[in-house]
Amino acid sequence: MTIKDEIKKIRDNVYEIPGSYNKQMRASGRLYIDDESFEALEEGAVQQIVNVACLPGVFRYSIGLPDIHFGYGFPIGGVAAFNMRNGIVSPGGVGFDINCGVRLIKSNLCQEDIEGHLDELVDALFKNIPSGVGSKGKVKLSQDDINNVLDYGAEWAVENGYGWDEDLEVLEENGRIKAADSSEVSDKAKKRGIPQLGSLGSGNHFLEIQVVDEIYNEEVADVYGLKKGMIVIMVHTGSRGCGHQVCSDYLRLMDKAYKNYKINIADRQLACAPLDSKEAQSYLKAMYAAANYAWANRQMITHWIRESFEDVLGKSARDMDMQIVYDVAHNIAKEETHDFKGRDMEVLVHRKGATRAFGPGREEVPVKYRDVGQPVLIPGTMGTASYVLHGTQTAMEETFGSTAHGAGRVLSRSQAKKDYNPEDIVNNMENNGIKVKATSKSVIAEEAPGAYKDVDSVVRVSDSTGIAKLVAKVKPLAVTKG
DNA sequence: ATGTGC
């Protein structure tokens, strides 16, 4: 008998892990996944959903999304909400790369406008946006600067000349969580953050020049300003070594806290603290500060993307209409209000490898998108399509306004390096008309599309269950990676 | 993801 035998299918692509599975569970588990992925799903990831459902104050369901896989304590591709009155916060529920996220920038260019310039564009992006492990940004930050980055996020970046005032309107949280407090971030995290601001990083982080390949919903695409054949740029990066250090620092603190507060946890990696404790409050302020760092990071990269296009194409970014469509966080915890049986519940929603997908009418959605729900950006793996979806009322009712965040790894990095040859992958992509430029060859093998679940199926499950609906498909023309 | 093992 395994956990998976206890799971009941409750409708197409939705499974339930009954709260009666073990005595410690305080909520049931829910899985949004197709039958094929369910069969292939690792027991360990299901056990992690159960473990999360045992934490104090867990509200309604512990949720696994279509791209779920085994992570540190909490699964990646998971959502869990905790009551603000008696719940907890756990760094493992946010992840190491705090506010890892995705940004999409549009243009008025079509493929013919950049034909013959693609090599130059990729070279310019590669030169202007530092990438790779331990990569350093081009900006010299003082101690005051790093504190301002942590406290003001993308606002700091725009005030310092990186981007346009209106950029802030289309960033989740407007690119700044006000509850952040740089004084809760260690000197070590700041020291790691100072040289890295304005850099892409490594692993699955990327920068792509893409073309809008297909529109599924004309009305919503129109609201988002997307048209078939349009050149767009997608950025996937996070808070670099700074967020990583914040997570490490607070995991150590939480490892003491959960013992002090006598919280029963199924796995030490679920170390957490009650929301009203000083440990939880410090972590939240530091985690929000790291989230602000990531928004500033993506903002600076946006500025250099615009400059790169200007240099190569000889037109201004304004003339090329290089506006931000949206920017989403997919590793974060946030205080939100969710309706439950007609009552407003105040909860802390942990989204780890999960994208917010707020539906129509929510005040958190930018005014210009509010009638149709927020844009949801779901990146594919290297060389494959990415998707734009919109948030829905179904997501509000079932998943705390959340959906999947990407393809989801199926092979470990080490296994991928054994199975794939970087030259073959690059040749394959170039045969498909995609230009690739990477800092290292090993990252190409680690990020081989075959090391990931097919993003098409992830998005299909989101769409069919209604937790986010398809708007557009974009396909890569050129990729730069760490 | 990550000064790619403290």
Side-chain angles (χ1 to χ4, degrees), chain A residues 129-407:
Chain A
I129 296 143
S131 66
V133 177
S135 52
K136 292 179 179 178
K138 310 186 281 194
V139 181
K140 296 272 168 283
L141 295 184
S142 67
Q143 198 63 36
D144 278 352
D145 291 333
I146 188 69
N147 289 333
N148 286 331
V149 167
L150 292 163
D151 289 327
Y152 300 99
E155 269 181 36
W156 174 90
V158 170
E159 275 171 22
N160 284 271
Y162 302 99
W164 306 337
D165 289 346
E166 65 264 39
D167 289 346
L168 300 175
E169 292 166 20
V170 282
L171 313 182
E172 191 169 314
E173 302 294 333
N174 304 115
R176 175 196 172 194
I177 295 184
K178 290 200 172 79
D181 186 350
S182 58
S183 71
E184 299 288 355
V185 175
S186 69
D187 288 340
K188 196 174 175 186
K190 291 176 188 175
K191 199 175 167 193
R192 287 181 71 176
I194 284 172
Q196 293 186 337
L197 188 70
S199 68
L200 194 62
S202 182
N204 66 359
H205 289 168
F206 67 74
L207 201 163
E208 282 185 359
I209 300 173
Q210 306 167 329
V211 60
V212 177
D213 190 42
E214 203 169 338
I215 300 283
Y216 304 99
N217 184 328
E218 290 284 353
E219 184 203 337
V220 179
D222 198 46
V223 174
Y224 294 169
L226 297 171
K227 285 187 172 60
K228 188 167 176 170
M230 177 185 280
I231 297 294
V232 296
I233 301 102
M234 186 174 275
V235 185
H236 179 200
T237 187
S239 51
R240 311 286 289 102
C242 181
H244 193 277
Q245 191 62 47
V246 168
C247 183
S248 300
D249 290 340
Y250 280 92
L251 278 170
R252 205 171 337 112
L253 185 76
M254 293 294 179
D255 195 57
K256 295 193 189 90
Y258 87 84
K259 292 167 191 159
N260 284 343
Y261 296 108
K262 300 188 177 9
I263 300 172
N264 257 322
I265 54 179
D267 172 357
R268 207 170 163 185
Q269 294 183 354
L270 298 171
C272 57
L275 279 163
D276 59 6
S277 68
K278 61 181 193 308
E279 291 91 341
Q281 291 303 310
S282 292
Y283 169 67
L284 285 172
K285 289 172 191 165
M287 184 264 290
Y288 293 147
N292 287 347
Y293 180 101
W295 275 308
N297 193 33
R298 291 196 286 275
Q299 186 62 35
M300 294 170 78
I301 289 171
T302 298
H303 177 69
W304 293 323
I305 289 168
R306 287 174 177 151
E307 281 193 344
S308 301
F309 272 69
E310 287 176 334
D311 289 349
V312 172
L313 299 174
K315 286 195 270 188
S316 76
R318 290 278 184 192
D319 285 343
M320 291 181 279
D321 199 26
M322 295 181 72
Q323 296 179 53
I324 300 168
V325 175
Y326 203 57
D327 177 302
V328 296
H330 57 220
N331 276 6
I332 201 160
K334 292 202 284 197
E335 294 170 42
E336 295 171 2
T337 305
H338 286 271
D339 177 83
F340 182 58
K341 295 183 176 170
R343 277 177 57 207
D344 279 347
M345 295 292 297
E346 306 292 327
V347 289
L348 186 79
V349 182
H350 293 62
R351 294 191 184 87
K352 180 184 189 182
T355 312
R356 198 182 71 178
F358 277 5
R362 284 289 296 216
E363 64 176 22
E364 293 92 336
V365 179
V367 174
K368 65 177 181 176
Y369 303 148
R370 198 167 293 165
D371 288 350
V372 297
Q374 72 163 92
V376 176
L377 308 175
I378 302 192
T381 68
M382 190 174 55
T384 66
S386 295
Y387 291 89
V388 180
L389 296 85
H390 70 85
T392 63
Q393 184 57 29
T394 303
M396 303 316 300
E397 288 162 11
E398 297 191 18
T399 57
F400 304 106
S402 318
T403 192
H405 84 306

Side-chain angles (χ1 to χ4, degrees), chain A residues 51-63:
Chain A
N51 294 345
V52 170
C54 300
L55 292 169
V58 64
F59 182 55
R60 296 189 66 195
Y61 312 112
S62 167
I63 297 165

Side-chain angles (χ1 to χ4, degrees), chain A residues 38-84:
Chain A
F38 180 77
E39 291 311 318
L41 182 61
E42 31 187 5
E43 288 272 328
V46 182
Q47 183 63 52
Q48 288 188 322
I49 295 180
V50 171
N51 294 345
V52 170
C54 300
L55 292 169
V58 64
F59 182 55
R60 296 189 66 195
Y61 312 112
S62 167
I63 297 165
L65 295 162
D67 51 347
I68 185 169
H69 58 282
F70 187 83
Y72 183 94
F74 288 59
I76 297 160
V79 178
F82 297 88
N83 195 314
M84 290 303 298

